[in-house]
Amino acid sequence: MSSATVLCQSSNCPHGHPPSRLECPTCNKLGIRGSFFCGQECFKGNWKTHKIIHDLARSPATAANPSQDGTFHPFPNFDYAGTLRPVYPLSPKREVPEYIPRPDYATHEDGVPTVEMKRSGQPPRLLNSEEIEKMKFACRLGREVLDIVAAMVRPGVTTDEIDAVVHQATIDRNAYPSPLNYRNFPKSVCTSINETICHGIPDRRKLQEGDIINLGFHADLNATYPVGEIDEDSKKLIRTTRQCLDEAIKMCKPGALFRDIGKVIEPIARANGCAVVRSYTGHGINDLFHTAPNIPHYAKNKAIEPPNLMHGYNQMINLGSNWDTYHWPDNWTATTVDGKRSAQFEETLLITETGVEVLTAGNTDL
């Protein structure tokens, strides 16, 4: 068929649908024939409906039929809550030098933290002075690594590249990257983008202008960063999440009730059109990744903080009123149920005789 015999495809062509020669370049690349317009006015004016053809023609790349660069979508039939999609294949598991001590789960086939599970249900363990100094040292290393990778956050960088730097920076400090193989988590850092609340797996997706990303690993700490210029709702979300954490930290001292901390956090979140995630909690931390006590971030719970308790306090906040979570088939990635964005900040806190010390403190300017 000659292009001169194809009438303008615009549904509201002001020129009476004359024979046209301006072909949609995307349709041409996709092998779609007959997409001609009489001029730029019709092409641009019809774009919103016309581009649907492109989406229908693009079948998602799969493991059996990857894209030209070798990437593919691992869960093409999954009903996602938002627009974020994983980009596989994942890179091979990164090696840790033999001279670095390993936690028990590092070599377990299923990543089971055996000692952690044995201590489950026991009262919180208070640390002695030597243990506290070791924790302070580990927290300083964690902050160093987080600051290094935070400087990488920009459009075009993949989360797998971020993971590679976290991994190398950790072993350069003669430390083990704690997320690696914890309950079979495949990477050394969690990278949670946009609607992901937590536990995002680093992959080959490139960060895009306007994204937000949370970087988190053991020390225990994490933070949420903008990727380039972000919209006002995302800025508000990040500010609100950091404010909730900072106000919660101010409440921490021996004898403080966790429910009182929750009473401070929830009004701040609600006033800013946000919700406090209830599916995940803060937790004790020492020579184990996660240990007692579990620390809810919302009101109406009865736990009390004793001195010399070490815990990771993480604040997860969603835009909107829904605090619930939705899990991807990778068994890790937890997103909002409505596709709205989520942010998180976490610090490791030492409850002292008189108050609290933030062991992972860094620059919190947003």
Side-chain angles (χ1 to χ4, degrees):
M1 180 186 297
S2 168
S3 63
T5 65
V6 178
L7 302 184
C8 178
Q9 299 297 296
S10 174
S11 59
N12 53 354
C13 175
H15 307 297
H17 302 281
S20 305
R21 293 182 178 276
L22 178 63
E23 184 179 17
C24 170
T26 302
C27 283
N28 183 278
K29 290 179 181 178
L30 292 172
I32 302 171
R33 302 296 175 234
S35 293
F36 291 90
F37 299 84
C38 63
Q40 288 290 341
E41 179 184 7
C42 281
F43 181 55
K44 293 179 179 178
N46 201 58
W47 177 248
K48 286 187 178 180
T49 54
H50 176 73
K51 69 178 182 179
I52 295 174
I53 298 174
H54 305 158
D55 296 334
L56 293 173
R58 290 188 180 108
S59 57
T62 64
N65 185 30
S67 61
Q68 289 185 349
D69 64 0
T71 61
F72 62 90
H73 180 194
F75 316 117
N77 298 319
F78 180 66
D79 186 16
Y80 292 88
T83 59
L84 184 69
R85 299 292 183 272
V87 181
Y88 278 38
L90 299 182
S91 58
K93 181 179 177 181
R94 294 189 163 90
E95 298 296 326
V96 176
E98 290 296 329
Y99 61 82
I100 292 179
R102 288 157 166 72
D104 58 356
Y105 59 81
T107 54
H108 194 286
E109 182 180 1
D110 297 319
V112 175
T114 306
V115 177
E116 188 175 292
M117 293 180 68
K118 287 180 178 178
R119 293 189 194 173
S120 178
Q122 296 182 8
R125 184 164 69 86
L126 305 184
L127 305 186
N128 59 39
S129 58
E130 181 181 355
E131 291 171 321
I132 289 173
E133 289 305 312
K134 289 181 179 179
M135 281 298 303
K136 288 182 177 181
F137 179 69
C139 288
R140 286 196 297 271
L141 297 184
R143 171 54 63 181
E144 288 177 9
V145 174
L146 182 60
D147 288 346
I148 288 170
V149 293
M152 293 180 62
V153 173
R154 60 184 180 276
V157 174
T158 69
T159 50
D160 186 65
E161 290 169 338
I162 290 174
D163 180 73
V165 172
V166 168
H167 185 89
Q168 188 62 46
T170 303
I171 63 176
D172 284 347
R173 288 159 175 77
N174 294 319
Y176 182 87
S178 299
L180 187 61
N181 207 50
Y182 181 80
R183 299 187 183 275
N184 274 348
F185 189 79
K187 296 297 176 182
S188 297
V189 63
C190 295
T191 52
S192 302
I193 300 171
N194 297 342
E195 68 264 27
T196 305
I197 297 171
C198 59
H199 303 155
I201 298 175
D203 62 17
R204 301 195 183 194
R205 181 190 183 275
K206 294 180 180 179
L207 295 179
Q208 300 173 11
E209 182 85 14
D211 284 344
I212 61 174
I213 181 171
N214 177 270
L215 304 175
F217 45 89
H218 196 186
D220 208 2
L221 81 164
N222 69 63
T224 301
Y225 302 94
V227 181
E229 184 60 34
I230 59 176
D231 60 34
E232 290 303 317
D233 277 347
S234 296
K235 292 177 182 178
K236 179 186 71 173
L237 172 65
I238 293 175
R239 285 196 303 267
T240 299
T241 307
R242 184 70 228 190
Q243 181 185 1
C244 285
L245 179 59
D246 289 342
E247 293 303 315
I249 291 172
K250 292 177 184 177
M251 297 287 293
C252 293
K253 60 183 179 181
L257 297 175
F258 291 131
R259 67 185 179 198
D260 291 338
I261 299 173
K263 287 178 183 178
V264 170
I265 294 168
E266 287 200 303
I268 296 172
R270 286 198 301 268
N272 287 280
C274 298
V276 180
V277 174
R278 298 190 175 202
S279 305
Y280 295 94
T281 67
H283 54 86
I285 184 171
N286 41 57
D287 56 338
L288 301 179
F289 205 158
H290 300 89
T291 186
N294 288 326
I295 305 169
H297 306 138
Y298 48 90
K300 299 181 181 179
N301 63 85
K302 299 180 181 180
I304 298 176
E305 297 192 272
N308 286 1
L309 173 67
M310 191 82 65
H311 65 78
Y313 199 95
N314 56 331
Q315 194 60 66
M316 304 177 186
I317 302 292
N318 296 346
L319 273 177
S321 59
N322 201 317
W323 54 262
D324 209 351
T325 54
Y326 185 61
H327 286 86
W328 284 6
D330 61 17
N331 298 320
W332 279 104
T333 306
T335 74
T336 58
V337 298
D338 52 14
K340 293 182 179 179
R341 292 190 168 189
S342 184
Q344 180 184 178
F345 286 91
E346 180 175 24
E347 306 280 7
T348 292
L349 311 179
L350 170 65
I351 304 304
T352 67
E353 294 289 347
T354 57
V356 63
E357 184 178 350
V358 183
L359 303 187
T360 48
N363 182 5
T364 59
D365 294 338
L366 300 177

